[in-house]
Amino acid sequence: MRIATWNVNSIRLRAEQAVTWLKETQPDVVCLQEIKCQNEQFPREPFEALGYNVTVHGQKGFNGVALLSKLPLEDVTHGLAGDESDVQARFIEAVVSVKGGVARVCCMYLPNGNPPQTEKYDYKMGFMARLKAFAAERLKLEEPFVIAGDYNVIPGPADASDPSAWTQDALYLPRTRATFRDLLAMGFTDAIRATSDSDRLFSFWDYQAGAWQRDFGIRIDHLLLSPQAADRLIGAGIDKHVRAWERPSDHVPVWVDLKLAA
DNA sequence: ATGACAAAGAATCTTTGA
């Protein structure tokens, strides 16, 4: 089973590219972030035509996440628990049935948090605290469980082409990285890091200043695996070539292959 | 020292992103 995540930066602009990519790699479950539309505006038809079930948690203009799955999506929940006042569309949880049980997947768009020392960073830290509490509960289920998405976290110096450029940034501040490490300490495995030590594995290149051409990238899109998912890890990768397509998203798809079958 | 670039939505500019 292949589970992929991609921040598409508008699904209405990127639907055609998404279809091309889906036909190429045929993932079983796909987590999309920054769809930037409301539920009724989401272009469901091209994805349903490829055999995907679709659940959309959108909002007007910004944010928005969607989950696509070849298997039926069960127990779908929109939103991350822990703050009833949070109206931003950033989280979907669902399960799919697999041999011997279920696989649980979360699609997440974690807040950027810039600039620091504003309420935006407080919101990011609050969201991460809620994520930790949620993840701790889910780990008790001892299921294959994947939290996939745009974490807006550069985990360490190997995850940026020039770490010194990010020291004052919400994506790389010590508190941000420490909270991400807390998730790993709880028992999650960073799928890309579990399969490579390369310091050139990036998932985002800014549109500005020729970042792509200079390979000025960062790794901020992650798939964190529960122990039961990590036990089934076969491989992981980044579909970097997508960034070279015409009118690309600034992020590229990241994926993991797990030894799980329907 | 600063901006670059892209997208959405309300409007020909502002907000947001990273």
Side-chain angles (χ1 to χ4, degrees):
Chain A
M1 170 177 286
R2 177 167 294 192
I3 302 172
T5 179
W6 188 14
N7 179 323
V8 290
N9 189 16
S10 170
I11 193 59
R12 286 178 288 177
L13 282 181
R14 227 69 67 191
E16 198 177 319
Q17 285 188 27
V19 165
T20 301
W21 167 71
L22 289 168
K23 286 179 176 170
E24 259 182 32
T25 70
Q26 301 185 29
D28 299 285
V29 180
V30 181
C31 301
L32 300 175
Q33 301 88 36
E34 282 207 88
I35 62 170
K36 292 187 171 177
C37 68
Q38 298 173 79
N39 293 351
E40 59 273 21
Q41 298 173 307
F42 189 95
R44 304 175 73 98
E45 295 77 12
F47 304 108
E48 288 171 347
L50 292 175
Y52 287 98
N53 300 286
V54 180
T55 184
V56 181
H57 182 34
Q59 72 177 82
K60 189 174 181 178
F62 302 98
N63 304 321
V65 285
L67 198 44
L68 317 180
S69 173
K70 296 245 179 179
L71 294 166
L73 288 160
E74 304 161 41
D75 296 341
V76 177
T77 303
H78 291 172
L80 177 62
D83 183 359
E84 295 304 310
S85 69
D86 183 2
V87 295
Q88 299 193 28
R90 295 180 174 276
F91 201 85
I92 301 174
E93 176 185 21
V95 299
V96 296
S97 293
V98 295
K99 205 166 284 181
V102 298
R104 185 175 298 270
V105 179
C106 290
C107 171
M108 180 178 71
Y109 177 43
L110 206 146
N112 174 300
N114 278 309
Q117 290 157 349
T118 67
E119 70 288 343
K120 295 202 172 189
Y121 193 66
D122 296 337
Y123 175 59
K124 178 177 194 151
M125 288 294 103
F127 193 97
M128 292 186 87
R130 287 156 59 200
L131 178 65
K132 281 169 59 179
F134 166 83
E137 282 305 305
R138 290 295 179 263
L139 284 176
K140 292 178 185 172
L141 299 173
E142 301 190 348
E143 295 168 340
F145 170 41
V146 180
I147 306 175
D150 177 358
Y151 280 69
N152 272 314
V153 174
I154 303 167
D159 302 305
S161 59
D162 180 9
S164 69
W166 299 94
T167 52
Q168 304 304 311
D169 194 284
L171 280 61
Y172 195 61
L173 286 173
R175 277 181 69 202
T176 305
R177 294 164 59 194
T179 310
F180 185 81
R181 282 198 304 276
D182 289 343
L183 288 164
L184 303 182
M186 289 166 61
F188 285 97
T189 296
D190 176 348
I192 290 291
R193 269 293 158 251
T195 52
S196 173
D197 288 326
S198 169
D199 63 356
R200 307 302 305 176
L201 296 173
F202 307 132
S203 66
F204 170 90
W205 296 260
D206 202 289
Y207 289 122
Q208 300 183 61
W212 167 247
Q213 289 75 11
R214 297 187 293 121
D215 198 25
F216 189 85
I218 51 178
R219 192 174 70 91
I220 56 175
D221 299 271
H222 310 299
L223 296 111
L224 293 196
L225 313 180
S226 74
Q228 294 75 18
D231 283 347
R232 294 166 171 83
L233 176 60
I234 298 168
I238 301 178
D239 291 335
K240 182 176 179 177
H241 66 286
V242 170
R243 187 63 177 79
W245 288 353
E246 197 149 344
R247 292 197 80 185
S249 170
D250 39 8
H251 297 249
V252 296
V254 184
W255 51 266
V256 62
D257 284 334
L258 301 177
K259 193 174 179 182
L260 284 172

